[in-house]
Amino acid sequence: MSQLTTPLPPLSLYIHLPWCVRKCPYCDFNSHQADRFGQDGKLPEKAYLKQLLADLDADLPYVAGRTIQTAFIGGGTPSLMSEDFYYHLMDALKEKLSWADNAEITMEANPGTFEQEKFRHFRQAGINRLSIGIQSFQPNLLKTLGRIHNREEAILAVDKSRLAGFDNINLDLMHGLPDQSLEMAMDDLSLAIQLDPEHLSWYQLTIEPNTEFYRRPPTLPEDNTLWGIQDAGQAKLDKHGYSQYEVSANAKANQQARHNVNYWRFGDYLGIGAGAHGKLTLSNGEIFRTRKTRHPNHYLNTLPEALVIKEAIEQEDRPLEFMMNRLRLFEAFDLQDYQRYCDQSIPESLIKACETAIKKGFLHEKDWQQRRIQTTEKGKLFLNELLELFLP
C-alpha cells in the first residue's frame, strides 16, 4: 500500500461506559442495568478502568505521535461512575496521550440528583463539556420513556452544572414521543431554550430493533403532527439563535459539538470500552474501523489484543462512507476534502453522483460550479435517497 499523500485527519477519542440504572424502552445503545454487575451493588470500577487503559495501550501504535483534539465519554450513563474513577481515568489519559491545548472533553450525564452532586468533581478532573440527557420535562412522558428523573431535577441539573464550572452544555431533547401533541413538544423545547444551553440536540424518537418499544410499540403522533412539530420547533430554535448544523444538532454561534463535527467530517477517532467503535487512518493510506466486544463481562475478561475487530474501508467503499457522514452536516464543503480524508483521487463515479443529485434538486448547482457541495432543503428531507446515489 502506498504512503499517505495528504495530512492525517484530526483525531478524537471515544470512551464507552456501558451501565445505566435501568434500560430505557427506546434505547438501542450498548447499555446494561447496573445492579446486574459487580458485588454489593457496586460497579467493577477498578477492573473496568484497568481494562480501558489496557484497551487504549493496544490501540496506541495506530496513532503514535498524533494529538487528541476532542474526547467524548458516552454510554450508558457515564455519570454513574464515581469521582475517583474519573480522576484516575483523566490522569492516565493525560499521561498516555498528547492533547490539544483547547481539547473539548464531553461527558454524558443524567440529570438525577445523585449524579448532580458529582458535577464539580467531573469538572475538576478535566471534563469541560457536559451533555445532559433530559429527553422531556413532562412527567407522563418521562414515565413512558423510562427516565428516572423528574422535571425539577432536570432544571436543577443545568443550574448545578453551571455552579460546577461548566460553560459548555448540551441538552438532549426528544420529540415525536408517544401521544405527544404539537403544544407539548413546543412546551418542552421552550423550557430547554429558557435554560440557555450552548447546544441543543433535538431529535425525533425512532423505534429501533432490540428495544422494548420495538417489541411493544407505543402510539406515536401522526405524520402531520410530526411534520408540524419539526417545522415549528426548527423555527423556534432559529429564532432564539440555535442554528441547525446537523440533522439533529443545533447550536449557538461557534458552539457546535466539535467531537461530533469531526465524526461527521470523516475524521479519525479511537474507540475504547465495551462496544466502542473507532475509525482510523494509517500513514500508509489504510483506513479501517474498529469494534470492541460488547458485553461488559466479556470485555472485562478478554485480553486487550483480542478485544478488537478490524474492518478495512476499501477504496471502492470510500465515496459512500465519506458522503454518508459528510452529508449529515449542513455546511458547504470543498470536493477536495474527499482527497484529504480518503487518500484517493476523486472518482468519476462520485462526480456523476453529485451531478445526478443536482438534477434531482438535492445539491445546490451554484456551489457545484466551484466544486463545492451544499445540501438543499430538499436534500435534507430526502437524505436517504440522496445517499443511495453514492452506492458503489
Side-chain angles (χ1 to χ4, degrees):
M1 189 168 289
S2 61
Q3 194 71 14
L4 192 72
T5 58
T6 57
L8 289 166
L11 180 65
S12 294
L13 170 67
Y14 176 75
I15 305 168
H16 193 78
L17 282 297
W19 292 289
C20 288
V21 173
R22 68 183 180 203
K23 184 83 170 179
C24 295
Y26 60 86
C27 179
D28 69 334
F29 295 126
N30 184 36
S31 60
H32 303 264
Q33 195 161 310
D35 60 9
R36 298 176 183 174
F37 296 85
Q39 298 178 343
D40 301 323
K42 294 182 179 180
L43 290 172
E45 288 193 357
K46 290 183 179 180
Y48 196 76
L49 176 60
K50 181 179 179 181
Q51 190 69 324
L52 272 179
L53 298 178
D55 186 359
L56 176 61
D57 286 341
D59 280 356
L60 284 180
Y62 298 134
V63 297
R66 297 176 67 182
T67 299
I68 300 293
Q69 304 294 326
T70 70
F72 194 100
I73 305 169
T77 306
S79 53
L80 285 181
M81 306 298 263
S82 71
E83 306 94 313
D84 284 345
F85 175 88
Y86 283 107
Y87 283 124
H88 286 109
L89 173 65
M90 297 304 295
D91 284 346
L93 293 178
K94 290 171 186 174
E95 290 178 4
K96 292 176 178 290
L97 294 163
S98 173
W99 292 84
D101 291 339
N102 64 341
E104 174 195 272
I105 304 175
T106 303
M107 174 198 278
E108 289 183 333
N110 255 357
T113 303
F114 172 71
E115 286 91 345
Q116 290 178 26
E117 299 306 316
K118 295 183 279 185
F119 285 178
R120 177 174 57 85
H121 292 283
F122 298 155
R123 184 68 189 90
Q124 289 177 351
I127 295 156
N128 56 28
R129 184 173 183 270
L130 214 55
S131 181
I132 304 175
I134 289 175
Q135 316 311 354
S136 177
F137 293 98
Q138 299 174 46
N140 59 324
L141 292 180
L142 288 170
K143 182 177 180 181
T144 299
L145 294 173
R147 306 297 289 168
I148 60 172
H149 65 272
N150 57 39
R151 174 190 177 96
E152 290 70 28
E153 287 174 324
I155 295 170
L156 184 61
V158 179
D159 292 337
K160 287 274 190 175
S161 62
R162 296 299 191 195
L163 290 171
F166 286 97
D167 57 8
N168 194 356
I169 296 170
N170 169 64
L171 300 185
D172 263 358
L173 200 66
M174 300 173 74
H175 62 88
L177 303 177
D179 298 314
Q180 186 182 44
S181 66
L182 171 60
E183 183 181 10
M184 293 163 68
M186 292 305 99
D187 284 348
D188 268 353
L189 190 55
S190 294
L191 182 49
I193 291 170
Q194 287 175 30
L195 294 173
D196 199 31
E198 284 67 35
H199 191 282
L200 264 169
S201 297
W202 191 61
Y203 53 96
Q204 183 177 321
L205 170 66
T206 56
I207 306 300
E208 303 288 353
N210 303 314
T211 65
E212 184 63 26
F213 275 177
Y214 185 82
R215 291 184 287 272
R216 300 177 183 178
T219 302
L220 299 181
E222 296 180 351
D223 286 347
N224 286 341
T225 301
L226 293 174
W227 279 111
I229 290 172
Q230 181 66 45
D231 287 346
Q234 205 56 60
K236 182 183 286 289
L237 286 162
D238 290 340
K239 178 182 177 181
H240 289 87
Y242 291 92
S243 298
Q244 185 182 22
Y245 67 93
E246 188 264 339
V247 173
S248 59
N250 306 266
K252 293 182 178 180
N254 303 314
Q255 295 290 346
Q256 293 88 348
R258 289 166 47 206
H259 183 89
N260 293 346
V261 168
N262 185 47
Y263 178 89
W264 297 123
R265 284 178 178 166
F266 209 51
D268 281 356
Y269 51 99
L270 284 166
I272 61 172
H277 288 232
K279 177 252 169 185
L280 295 167
T281 305
L282 302 185
S283 58
N284 63 4
E286 180 184 359
I287 304 175
F288 60 90
R289 295 193 184 279
T290 62
R291 290 185 290 118
K292 305 301 170 68
T293 188
R294 286 175 58 85
H295 197 276
N297 284 345
H298 188 208
Y299 180 85
L300 284 166
N301 294 286
T302 302
L303 293 173
E305 57 268 24
L307 286 174
V308 63
I309 299 170
K310 286 179 59 178
E311 296 175 339
I313 303 177
E314 304 295 349
Q315 296 273 342
E316 62 270 21
D317 296 324
R318 292 181 189 182
L320 176 62
E321 290 275 350
F322 176 81
M323 298 302 278
M324 190 165 56
N325 284 270
R326 196 64 191 256
L327 288 176
R328 283 189 64 98
L329 288 172
F330 296 156
E331 64 184 11
F333 64 94
D334 198 302
L335 192 59
Q336 296 299 320
D337 284 0
Y338 178 84
Q339 290 180 285
R340 179 189 177 193
Y341 285 89
C342 296
D343 192 45
Q344 63 177 197
S345 58
I346 301 166
E348 187 63 27
S349 61
L350 178 58
I351 294 174
K352 288 182 178 179
C354 288
E355 291 172 345
T356 301
I358 291 168
K359 292 176 182 177
K360 289 178 174 287
F362 295 155
L363 298 178
H364 284 290
E365 183 174 6
K366 182 179 179 181
D367 291 281
W368 181 245
Q369 293 171 0
Q370 283 78 43
R371 283 300 189 260
R372 287 178 63 77
I373 295 173
Q374 173 73 68
T375 311
T376 63
E377 291 302 314
K378 181 180 179 182
K380 296 173 187 177
L381 290 174
F382 296 94
L383 185 59
N384 288 339
E385 188 176 340
L386 168 57
L387 291 174
E388 286 174 3
L389 299 176
F390 298 95
L391 287 169

